[in-house]
Amino acid sequence: MFRWRGSLWKAVLKDLIAFYIAYYIILFAQWYLLEEQQKAYFTGWIIWCEIGSQYIPLSFLLGFFVAVVVARWWEQFNYISWPDKMMMILSVCLPGEQHLNTRITIARWSSLMSAIAWSGISERTLKRFPTHRHLVQSKLMTEEEYDIFSNTEGPHGKWFVPIFWITNLVKEQHKKGFIDSVKLDMIMKHIFSFRDGFAMLYVYDWIKIPLVYTQVVAIATYGYFVICLLGRQPKIDEKSMQKEITIMFPIFTTFQMLFYVGWLKVGQFLMNPFGTDDDDFELNYIIDRNTYVANMMAGELADQLPTTVNGELDV
Amino acid sequence: MFRWRGSLWKAVLKDLIAFYIAYYIILFAQWYLLEEQQKAYFTGWIIWCEIGSQYIPLSFLLGFFVAVVVARWWEQFNYISWPDKMMMILSVCLPGEQHLNTRITIARWSSLMSAIAWSGISERTLKRFPTHRHLVQSKLMTEEEYDIFSNTEGPHGKWFVPIFWITNLVKEQHKKGFIDSVKLDMIMKHIFSFRDGFAMLYVYDWIKIPLVYTQVVAIATYGYFVICLLGRQPKIDEKSMQKEITIMFPIFTTFQMLFYVGWLKVGQFLMNPFGTDDDDFELNYIIDRNTYVANMMAGELADQLPTTVNGELDV
Amino acid sequence: MFRWRGSLWKAVLKDLIAFYIAYYIILFAQWYLLEEQQKAYFTGWIIWCEIGSQYIPLSFLLGFFVAVVVARWWEQFNYISWPDKMMMILSVCLPGEQHLNTRITIARWSSLMSAIAWSGISERTLKRFPTHRHLVQSKLMTEEEYDIFSNTEGPHGKWFVPIFWITNLVKEQHKKGFIDSVKLDMIMKHIFSFRDGFAMLYVYDWIKIPLVYTQVVAIATYGYFVICLLGRQPKIDEKSMQKEITIMFPIFTTFQMLFYVGWLKVGQFLMNPFGTDDDDFELNYIIDRNTYVANMMAGELADQLPTTVNGELDV
Amino acid sequence: MFRWRGSLWKAVLKDLIAFYIAYYIILFAQWYLLEEQQKAYFTGWIIWCEIGSQYIPLSFLLGFFVAVVVARWWEQFNYISWPDKMMMILSVCLPGEQHLNTRITIARWSSLMSAIAWSGISERTLKRFPTHRHLVQSKLMTEEEYDIFSNTEGPHGKWFVPIFWITNLVKEQHKKGFIDSVKLDMIMKHIFSFRDGFAMLYVYDWIKIPLVYTQVVAIATYGYFVICLLGRQPKIDEKSMQKEITIMFPIFTTFQMLFYVGWLKVGQFLMNPFGTDDDDFELNYIIDRNTYVANMMAGELADQLPTTVNGELDV
Amino acid sequence: MFRWRGSLWKAVLKDLIAFYIAYYIILFAQWYLLEEQQKAYFTGWIIWCEIGSQYIPLSFLLGFFVAVVVARWWEQFNYISWPDKMMMILSVCLPGEQHLNTRITIARWSSLMSAIAWSGISERTLKRFPTHRHLVQSKLMTEEEYDIFSNTEGPHGKWFVPIFWITNLVKEQHKKGFIDSVKLDMIMKHIFSFRDGFAMLYVYDWIKIPLVYTQVVAIATYGYFVICLLGRQPKIDEKSMQKEITIMFPIFTTFQMLFYVGWLKVGQFLMNPFGTDDDDFELNYIIDRNTYVANMMAGELADQLPTTVNGELDV
């Protein structure tokens, strides 16, 4: 509740300060610059803005908008590709020392693939691997692979090249007779579902929520608070001060700002989940995790089996 | 935020101008043509319209309607067919120089298929390929294929003809013994999921959101602003002018128009995602991309494999 | 917008006329039959109904209800069975002149199946094939099949009989060794997904949206306008006429009727998508289309293949 | 609309009567027991309750709640298991007289399975088969099976036992060489999807909508009408009676009750779809239907094939 | 309705008591400490808060938020892994006494897997198995397995190790020729769907609903009742007491608290379904159930088959 990182307070702070500054400038102007009659006239404006602010159905707009955004955000997370099942099926179909090299190469290529594909989507990953040379430096790519990859022309993207290498390496094993058609099918399915994640993230990156929708929501929210700059001013002409109490701090507006702007920020943060915000998905960590786990599954775990079971039928 | 293309400003501009013109015509008429007593009477009309405008639950109607439309829009995008996986599975099951011709022919037919099918859905694609001769000119179709296609009668559509050619070519390879039943199954699944996208887009094109629903929303929105033409007029009879301040510009109505009409436009644009609006899906670009990528996958990438792996077991 | 067929205007017209008649009867009664004091008393009733009408959250009820209905409507459309993929897989697994008869028989049975099954769901289809004799007349069924079908007892429905014929004919080919188990599996999957559509439509036909829900929405909507019959009457006692302007036409209520009743009609039309309304799915057309296309796929297209590809490796 | 069974009228009647009784008791008390000054004081209470009733956002609570319930209700229906596809696949893989006994035994066990599993979920089915002896009496189970089943200990449920019998019987056929691995896979998939329905219904039965949510909605709804008992009383002190008309029947509250309580009842009925309400799913009928149809598919239909097709290639 | 455990009353009690205490402190202060003029001034504050409380669209915020949470909660439950189908498929592919040991070992490992994986998610499971030694003590793990598991390094988690043991044991059987590739595929699919549940629960545990969203809702709800502390005070200056009745108990606020805070609690409980609340999923019970059932399926049920069927064709 009182955490700072990724909290409401952090999200809303700047807007709130800007609001206060503008609010008190207007308040002081009203107080010191206007004469009594002008104050009364100004009160008319305040009332007029008070009524006007009710014309804006903020909660609906935000409710429907954030519902769409949250759904997309979660879908995107679920399209992050994990190599786990691909590595498991490899350990089943291409087991033993004999195929260790194949498995480890595919493990490396799966990380290479992630690094290349996610660089096109995520600012953070791009910062980590700004050029393809960085892939070679971080040992995800050999020099030879770098040459092949660089020589492949791809005006419409070429992030899918490593998946072809994986595929072709598996195909090689099939040609050599290590796996039959059924196993080839099993492996291909998992390679494809690994690939699909990247393709879908590109789709989400390409086709965003229509700009008009985003603008409608942002304009309604900020417009509301601009109207409140006037509409929530204390009425300081004499007649009004007799009728109602005069409070110099816009407490309810502050409160509304907390949740309306906060709600809007939820939407805006989640719209771009691969950016650099606090709540964004940390793809770089996932690359590290996947590199480690894929290697672990390719090597140590691939044939790990407690020995007791070797002696069968001992029940 | 301040982009013009596909922005809120562009979407709402025409309606806003029309509103202003009508609004000021009425305002001037009120001001110059009416006498004091008539003005007072007219104020009655204004109040009446002010109350009447509250009877219209615009935000709900728009919220529910746009939710349905946005869902459909995104579903439609996801039914756009990409040949990538079909080409990959072909490179796995029909590898090598030996089958290069088969793969390249299928790549071409996949683009032919897209061009034919999407011409029936998208205005832009139809503009690009107004007749089947244009397909021949753009090298998607040979003369012979043109003859065969033209001679096939299809009163209920024949966009699925190229998929039969692909299928039959694969079948040929199966008959020749290049692929077994399991591989045939693998290929067919991907051919089918390529095909399904086209079929589903025809379905979405045929069965639209019911006209009544669309009308209900449009009439409610525009009706609301027609009522506002009167209801948001300044009250310029003497009694009213003493009581409230008189503002000659419908600032809140402008504001409401921005997001209500903007919201409606979101719905109307997305209802027809294959049209010629700024935010519509650019199928023509996708055809180009797919043609390039499918050829790349059929040729260069089909058997690309970095050499280090050839020497197995070198760990 | 101004189309008549399937439009809002057509949907709402009858209710609107009924409303006007009742409204003006009450208005005239008020005007001519009541004395001044009674008029004042009647004004009390009008105010009371005006307030009462605000207790009804119509937009919510309709919003949530129509959301459910639209979802069901679209799901139902997607359960309409198309024989396309079944015919394609048959052309792959049972190709050539040799199996032409099998394919054509299955094509016919797929239409027979649709005709029988949809007669149980759709009024229009039932009108077209009121008895099973009509199936024989329209050549969907042979005399022998008619006998077999008639002799099969099915107190719990027997629409699934033709699917057994299709299945058993395929099984026959398997027994004769034309297709292996893998191909049998491929074919069976598509036969099943063809079948599932019919089964699901029976489910939707059997289990409707609970009656209570439908009634709640209808009563709320019509009740609202019954209350408006009084609540939106002009107040014609003297005191009121001095205070407010008196308008003899219920313009806002008309307007509300347009979209509230229109919205309700959207729900009511879509609840029963296989009826005879303008927007209902035209299953009869689909039967014709499917008969044509299935035959086309069984015959002409089954082995159509442009010749250039025959000379392989010509790149 | 005017049906009684499963209608709104039936659902709301009891609550409505209870409301009227309480309402008129209070009204008479107010009328006869209170003196003028007390009446005026009581009017204060009425106004206070009138305002208080507006604090309750019933339509939202009900809208969101019923949306969740309707979704669950429909999902549950779709998890009702039908043996149709399992029987069809058996007729394909284990055809002919030779396997008739196997098919018929499996048909019987599928009904046995339903009877056992649904007894744990549905009151009606439990009433029909209160003990396992009743299964023997209704010929779903043999004496031997009864012994085996009774001797199987299952502190955590044993509804899945018959599915093992089906599985093991199929396995037997596989061991005898009647079906190969591919067919075994085909059959197992359908056995599993038959099984999954039962498992999922147990899940829905175990994990209900959280009690708190249900209580929140029920308390809000009934609380609202308790407040209305006072808040919608006519104000019968002299001053009020001069100001407004006095109506002795709570017409709008009746109307609100119709749809608010009706809406709540929709939710409450659908929450427990296997109970004994009018709209609940009739699992007993489904068992009868399934028993009949499964036998029909195991026997008569399994190899039914119109003869014309025997003479192949006669086109 | 009147149950305590997991009920609304329990959920709301603490907040309600805190509210009453604060409310009556303010009320007494107002009553005894303020003079008449101050009371009148205080009434101004009350009115101001009364109005302010209407600015908060609680029902929307809660409605949309709880809809998201309920969906996630149910999804999470459905990702709980059950070993049933994995054990069934094992009994089909690896039947008989011969493979009993394999099946029982896999049954044990499936429980081991659950215990290890869920310890990382659920507080209750962690309490039961605080260290891996506890797994050995509860016989889910042998000493040898403990050593192997402890020696496997997994800085990024190693809950998936037992799934590798299962996989590798199955692989062993395949190598020995007990199962062919098709059966291997069947088994692997079910092992994977068993595994997926754990992986998904880790995902849900890692990526929660964004903190900002949760804070927005909590702050809005509690803020609302803080404002009500003033805004729902009785107005006890003389003028107000003449005008309205004065009630010393915040009955409507209590009522609102019941369902607003109750609704919020629904959200907060369901956000963390593997905690220790009354409505949380009891994973420990599920482990026990699964251990029992998996053993039952591995042993007693694996080949159970009523004998009547042995004599085939006896119909």
Side-chain angles (χ1 to χ4, degrees), chain D residues 96-109:
Chain D
E97 277 298 310
Q98 189 188 5
H99 298 291
L100 178 61
N101 193 27
T102 302
R103 291 198 307 269
I104 282 184
T105 308
I106 290 179
R108 183 167 55 79
W109 284 342

Side-chain angles (χ1 to χ4, degrees), chain B residues 40-41 44-46 48-53 55-57 60-61 64 68 72 75 97-102 104-105 108-109 142 144-145 148-149 151-161 163-169 171-176 178 181-182 184-185 188-189 191-193 195-196 200 203-204 206-224 227, chain C residues 1-9 11 50 53-54 59-60 62-64 66-67 70 73-74 77-78 82 84-89 91-93 95-96 180 182-183 185-186 189-190 224 232 245-247 249-253 255-256 258-263 265-266 269-270 279 281-282 285-286 288-290 292-293 296-297 300-315:
Chain B
Y41 183 77
W45 279 81
I46 292 174
W48 186 64
C49 284
E50 219 170 10
I51 293 166
S53 75
Y55 290 142
I56 305 173
F60 270 107
L61 263 170
F64 279 108
V68 169
R72 270 180 80 94
E75 284 159 28
E97 276 298 310
Q98 189 188 1
H99 298 292
L100 178 61
N101 192 29
T102 302
I104 281 185
T105 307
R108 184 167 56 79
W109 283 343
T142 66
E144 192 210 348
E145 288 159 18
I148 294 178
F149 190 76
N151 290 328
T152 306
E153 269 177 71
H156 299 289
K158 56 180 179 180
W159 55 266
F160 41 75
V161 168
I163 211 80
F164 266 90
W165 298 350
I166 296 174
T167 299
N168 288 338
L169 185 50
K171 190 166 73 183
E172 210 62 10
Q173 314 309 310
H174 175 58
K175 213 180 278 171
K176 290 185 191 154
F178 293 130
S181 290
V182 173
L184 182 66
D185 187 27
M188 284 311 297
K189 269 175 197 153
I191 292 180
F192 273 153
S193 77
R195 184 209 83 102
D196 287 351
M200 286 308 297
V203 162
Y204 278 89
W206 187 32
I207 303 295
K208 302 209 187 282
I209 294 174
L211 181 62
V212 183
Y213 203 173
T214 321
Q215 284 180 325
V216 161
V217 176
I219 282 168
T221 308
Y222 286 111
Y224 181 82
I227 294 172
Chain C
M1 212 56 182
F2 302 100
R3 218 177 58 174
W4 172 252
R5 201 169 165 279
S7 77
L8 178 55
W9 322 109
E50 219 170 10
S53 74
Q54 289 164 18
S59 45
F60 270 106
L62 284 168
F64 280 108
V66 170
V70 167
W73 164 78
W74 185 246
F77 183 81
N78 281 302
W82 309 89
D84 300 42
K85 285 163 85 177
M86 187 169 72
M87 294 317 296
M88 287 178 77
I89 207 77
S91 93
V92 170
C93 295
D180 59 16
V182 173
K183 282 179 191 157
D185 187 27
M186 287 161 73
K189 268 175 197 153
H190 288 282
Y224 181 82
R232 301 283 167 80
I245 59 169
T246 306
I247 291 159
F249 182 72
I251 176 87
F252 297 130
T253 316
F255 194 53
Q256 283 190 306
L258 274 186
F259 57 80
Y260 277 137
V261 175
W263 209 359
K265 294 285 175 187
V266 172
F269 287 169
L270 300 191
D279 260 337
F281 304 140
E282 300 175 33
Y285 167 73
I286 294 177
D288 291 338
R289 184 263 178 206
N290 284 354
Y292 188 92
V293 169
M296 189 177 165
M297 289 180 170
E300 189 181 2
L301 289 179
D303 295 285
Q304 192 184 77
L305 185 63
T307 50
T308 42
V309 192
N310 281 348
E312 269 180 281
L313 286 170
D314 60 351
V315 168

